[in-house]
Every structure is written in structure tokens, then in C-alpha cells.
């Protein structure tokens, strides 16, 4: 320890989880999007993991540009076996983005195994995606196999409850790509991690309304 601390200047990093969520949102809704001031060098392997799902992006200075994509193809291993996306301590893939990767994979071309190693019960929201028409096999509490629709079949709107922050934003992404009007309850969970998310998404063209029940 020290007797006293002294002043300094420090710039907080952007929220890498929010950056990843917006990358997934752009791909899932087939939208063109520029995410500004992402501190690209501090995103670790997040961009390359999205590239493994076939999502294209360009680095413009400290911005990420995601062009509109009608289709994105999941990579396979050289022997043709299914690819696995798994979380790991830094500098591995943050577990807080696995739910976003999972929902984005539902509209990819190909299949992927999502392996949640670090936390319990993070995959139990997939039943809501299955209700929406996603093809997901929940292998066990930590692993789910996603068979992508390749945008050939849109998800169906439904009524659902957000179980936690990360699953909540994944369900929000799913709802924005689905056909029809979805209702998400327990949105306090989403608000904990994404400030004014409805206002910012509506500014991008979404149609999200908060209602009291």
C-alpha cells in the first residue's frame, strides 16, 4: 500500500460487449452499420470470432463498418467437422457475448456448437429462440448446437421474458429480426447493461416501445 493517491487522467474503454452486440445486430437484421470509437485494439478476438461466423466488417481507423450482408456462412474445420465457439478468460472470448453469437448463428448458413464453459445456466434461454422457430439442440446445460436458417426462414414473433442481461439483448436482437411484434418482459435486466437501448436502436430505424403492464 501507499500513504496517499494522487490525481491522474484516464479515458475509459468503450464497452466491448455492447460493440459485439451491435455487430451481431447488424448481421442478424442484414443492416449496414458503422460503430464509432470502438478502441479496436482492445477488442481482442471478438471481431475475428464474428468473422468465423462469416460476418464481414472493415476497420476504418477506430471505427468498425459492417456492410449489409444477405448471407453469412459459418466456417468449417479442414476435416469438415462442425466449428465450436467457446468462452475463455481474457484474452479468450468473453462469455458475455456467447448469447449474441448463438442468436446470430440461427440465421447463418451452416452449423456451430456454442460451448458455455465459465458460467452455469447461461443457455437456458434457447427455448425461447426455439419457440421463435430457431433450430437449436440443447446438448446439455453448457453446450448448444445451432443449425442456421441462412435467412431462408425468418424467426416468429413471440412473448418472452429476459432471464439476464446478455440473454435479454440476444432476445431483443432476435425480436428485431423476427416477423411480427414481439413482447419482452423483465427488461430491467437489459437496462442494467445497455443504457437507453431502445432510444438508440429506434434512432437506427427500429420500432421499440416501452409499455407498462
Amino acid at each position: 500500500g501507499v500513504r496517499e493517491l494522487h490525481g491522474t487522467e484516464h479515458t475509459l474503454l468503450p464497452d466491448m460487449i455492447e460493440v459485439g452486440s451491435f455487430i451481431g445486430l447488424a448481421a442478424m437484421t442484414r443492416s449496414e452499420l458503422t460503430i464509432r470509437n470502438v478502441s479496436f485494439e482492445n477488442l481482442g478476438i471478438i471481431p475475428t470470432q464474428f468473422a468465423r461466423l462469416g460476418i464481414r466488417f472493415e476497420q476504418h481507423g477506430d471505427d468498425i463498418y459492417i456492410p449489409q450482408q444477405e448471407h453469412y456462412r459459418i466456417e468449417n474445420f479442414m476435416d469438415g467437422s462442425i466449428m465450436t465457439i467457446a468462452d475463455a478468460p481474457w484474452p479468450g472470448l468473453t462469455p458475455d457475448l456467447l448469447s449474441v453469437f448463438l442468436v446470430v448463428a440461427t440465421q447463418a448458413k451452416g452449423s456451430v456448437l456454442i460451448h458455455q464453459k465459465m458460467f452455469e445456466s447461461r443457455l437456458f434461454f434457447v427455448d425461447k429462440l426455439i419457440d421463435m422457430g430457431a433450430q437449436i439442440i440443447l446438448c446439455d446445460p453448457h453446450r448448444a448446437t445451432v443449425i442456421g436458417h441462412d435467412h431462408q426462414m425468418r424467426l416468429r414473433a413471440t412473448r418472452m421474458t429476459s432471464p439476464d442481461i446478455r440473454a435479454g439483448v440476444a432476445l431483443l436482437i432476435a425480436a428485431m429480426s423476427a416477423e411480427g411484434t414481439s413482447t419482452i418482459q423483465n427488461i430491467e435486466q437489459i437496462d442494467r447493461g445497455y443504457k437507453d437501448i431502445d432510444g438508440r436502436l429506434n434512432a437506427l430505424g427500429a420500432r421499440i416501445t416501452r409499455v407498462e403492464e
Side-chain angles (χ1 to χ4, degrees), residues 99-138:
S99 57
V100 174
F101 277 93
L102 192 151
V103 74
V104 171
T106 65
Q107 290 296 343
K109 183 173 185 178
S111 302
V112 63
L113 176 67
I114 303 293
H115 193 170
Q116 171 65 264
K117 298 179 179 180
M118 296 177 63
F119 292 99
E120 301 285 345
S121 306
R122 284 283 189 98
L123 296 181
F124 287 150
F125 76 101
V126 302
D127 60 326
K128 302 172 179 63
L129 296 176
I130 293 171
D131 289 342
M132 298 177 78
Q135 296 186 73
I136 304 172
I137 302 168
L138 187 61

Side-chain angles (χ1 to χ4, degrees), residues 72-97:
Y72 46 96
R73 180 192 295 270
I74 298 172
E75 292 180 358
N76 288 327
F77 290 114
M78 292 183 65
D79 62 359
S81 59
I82 187 172
M83 185 179 69
T84 299
I85 291 182
D87 58 345
W90 182 267
L93 180 64
T94 170
D96 288 336
L97 275 176

Side-chain angles (χ1 to χ4, degrees), residues 8-177:
T8 188
E9 292 186 4
H10 178 69
T11 300
L12 295 176
L13 291 175
D15 185 348
M16 66 172 64
I17 313 302
E18 189 167 276
V19 172
S21 300
F22 274 81
I23 294 173
L25 168 68
M28 189 72 170
T29 59
R30 293 184 281 187
S31 302
E32 179 184 22
L33 186 64
T34 298
I35 310 170
R36 300 197 181 280
N37 302 320
V38 300
S39 188
F40 194 92
E41 65 179 8
N42 291 299
L43 291 178
I45 66 171
I46 291 173
T48 56
Q49 291 296 89
F50 276 110
R52 294 177 71 195
L53 291 183
I55 296 169
R56 299 197 308 271
F57 63 87
E58 300 170 10
Q59 180 184 357
H60 294 170
D62 214 20
D63 302 340
I64 290 179
Y65 168 71
I66 302 102
Q68 182 180 7
Q69 284 184 251
E70 291 299 318
H71 304 278
Y72 46 96
R73 180 192 295 270
I74 298 172
E75 292 180 358
N76 288 327
F77 290 114
M78 292 183 65
D79 62 359
S81 59
I82 187 172
M83 185 179 69
T84 299
I85 291 182
D87 58 345
W90 182 267
L93 180 64
T94 170
D96 288 336
L97 275 176
L98 273 195
S99 57
V100 174
F101 277 93
L102 192 151
V103 74
V104 171
T106 65
Q107 290 296 343
K109 183 173 185 178
S111 302
V112 63
L113 176 67
I114 303 293
H115 193 170
Q116 171 65 264
K117 298 179 179 180
M118 296 177 63
F119 292 99
E120 301 285 345
S121 306
R122 284 283 189 98
L123 296 181
F124 287 150
F125 76 101
V126 302
D127 60 326
K128 302 172 179 63
L129 296 176
I130 293 171
D131 289 342
M132 298 177 78
Q135 296 186 73
I136 304 172
I137 302 168
L138 187 61
C139 307
D140 55 45
H142 291 275
R143 295 179 301 164
T145 300
V146 184
I147 301 131
H149 287 314
D150 191 25
H151 287 295
Q152 299 301 308
M153 185 174 69
R154 294 180 64 183
L155 298 180
R156 299 184 298 267
T158 189
R159 187 180 187 91
M160 47 198 163
T161 300
S162 168
D164 59 63
I165 299 174
R166 308 310 174 187
V169 79
L171 294 175
L172 181 59
I173 292 171
M176 283 190 289
S177 72

